[in-house]
Amino acid sequence: MKNLLLVLGGTLDALFLKECYEKMQPHFVVAADGALEKVLAAGIPCNCGMGDFDTVSKDVLCHFEEDQNTKLLSFPPEKDETDAELAVQFAVDQKPDKIWILGATGGRMDHMLGNLELLHIPLTKGIECEIIDQQNRIRLLDGPILLEKMADWKYVSFLSYTDQTQGITLKGFVYNVEKFTLKKGSTRCISNEICDEKAAVSFTNGLLYCIRSRDLR
């Protein structure tokens, strides 16, 4: 299985990044623009850095220019896509089995919301993709899934990516539903919990955000 770690420029603690890298053991690491700073601070390798490099210091950029194990792809500042979108497209082109995205949340709200939309790109290619930060794990679903109970990730929430998601059936949760239609903008499926060892999620039409969360103390 080929797994890819994509690091973006949102809020991201260097220690958390290093811990994720060591746990995930990805085959390939991509950093978008200012995320090169975070990769260097965490002391993890980077196979590819890309973007217009307007948010990375000259010293850090020079470091990776001299690193023979890192390929840098430069794009003009004036472009239709964000650096994050270009990085996700590049990640998908590597044809991994799974993509983890760190640094997609926090910071500017426009970028964060845009990054959530980018989950649709790997979904259309059949590639599992997950945005992870210290409190959340976010996926976009287009079909049924089994979720394992995880002590560290107590809450499970669902939001409709499309105008509505029809036929939602939840089994193994504290709050189960059957053939329920969740409309975009509704908070009906926020803050559920898994009560069985595994919980089943299915729906007949639409796309669904699945968010596993925890409280930090």
Side-chain angles (χ1 to χ4, degrees):
M1 180 176 288
K2 180 181 178 182
N3 298 324
L4 186 148
L5 173 61
L6 172 57
V7 187
L8 302 182
T11 302
L12 182 59
D13 178 76
L15 180 58
F16 179 70
L17 172 55
K18 186 172 183 179
E19 289 174 347
C20 288
Y21 174 81
E22 292 175 348
K23 184 176 181 179
M24 296 169 177
Q25 291 294 301
H27 298 89
F28 203 87
V29 177
V30 180
D33 205 293
L36 287 168
E37 306 254 4
K38 304 176 187 298
V39 167
L40 184 60
I44 66 173
C46 180
N47 301 99
C48 180
M50 56 190 305
D52 52 33
F53 302 125
D54 64 341
T55 57
V56 60
S57 71
K58 291 182 178 179
D59 289 343
V60 171
L61 190 59
C62 183
H63 169 84
F64 285 104
E65 286 174 341
E66 295 175 354
D67 187 344
Q68 295 182 351
N69 295 316
T70 302
K71 180 179 181 180
L72 295 180
L73 301 177
S74 180
F75 296 89
E78 296 182 358
K79 54 188 183 303
D80 294 332
E81 305 88 352
T82 62
D83 291 330
E85 181 173 350
L86 291 172
V88 169
Q89 291 173 341
F90 176 83
V92 167
D93 289 342
Q94 307 315 301
K95 298 182 179 178
D97 297 293
K98 184 169 184 175
I99 299 172
W100 292 292
I101 304 179
L102 301 182
T105 59
R108 284 176 52 178
M109 186 62 72
D110 53 347
H111 281 290
M112 188 180 79
L113 292 174
N115 292 340
L116 293 176
E117 292 287 325
L118 295 179
L119 287 171
H120 190 255
I121 296 175
L123 185 74
T124 61
K125 302 296 183 180
I127 298 172
E128 183 180 340
C129 184
E130 189 173 23
I131 288 175
I132 301 174
D133 63 26
Q134 289 180 292
Q135 281 191 264
N136 310 282
R137 304 173 68 106
I138 308 167
R139 293 180 59 184
L140 184 59
L141 307 177
D142 61 356
I145 189 173
L146 281 176
L147 298 176
E148 293 186 2
K149 188 174 184 178
M150 301 169 67
D152 290 341
W153 301 92
K154 180 179 180 181
Y155 304 109
V156 185
S157 299
F158 301 97
L159 292 167
S160 186
Y161 176 90
T162 43
D163 286 340
Q164 60 182 15
T165 303
Q166 299 173 327
I168 298 175
T169 297
L170 304 179
K171 295 182 179 180
F173 290 85
V174 173
Y175 305 105
N176 292 320
V177 296
E178 186 170 353
K179 297 180 180 178
F180 172 72
T181 295
L182 179 64
K183 295 182 179 180
K184 191 177 184 70
S186 171
T187 60
R188 168 70 185 274
C189 292
I190 294 291
S191 204
N192 208 336
E193 298 179 33
I194 297 175
C195 57
D196 295 341
E197 287 305 308
K198 291 185 178 181
V201 181
S202 63
F203 49 96
T204 57
N205 189 43
L207 299 175
L208 199 62
Y209 279 119
C210 173
I211 306 165
R212 307 198 70 159
S213 304
R214 62 186 177 187
D215 294 317
L216 293 183
R217 304 191 185 279

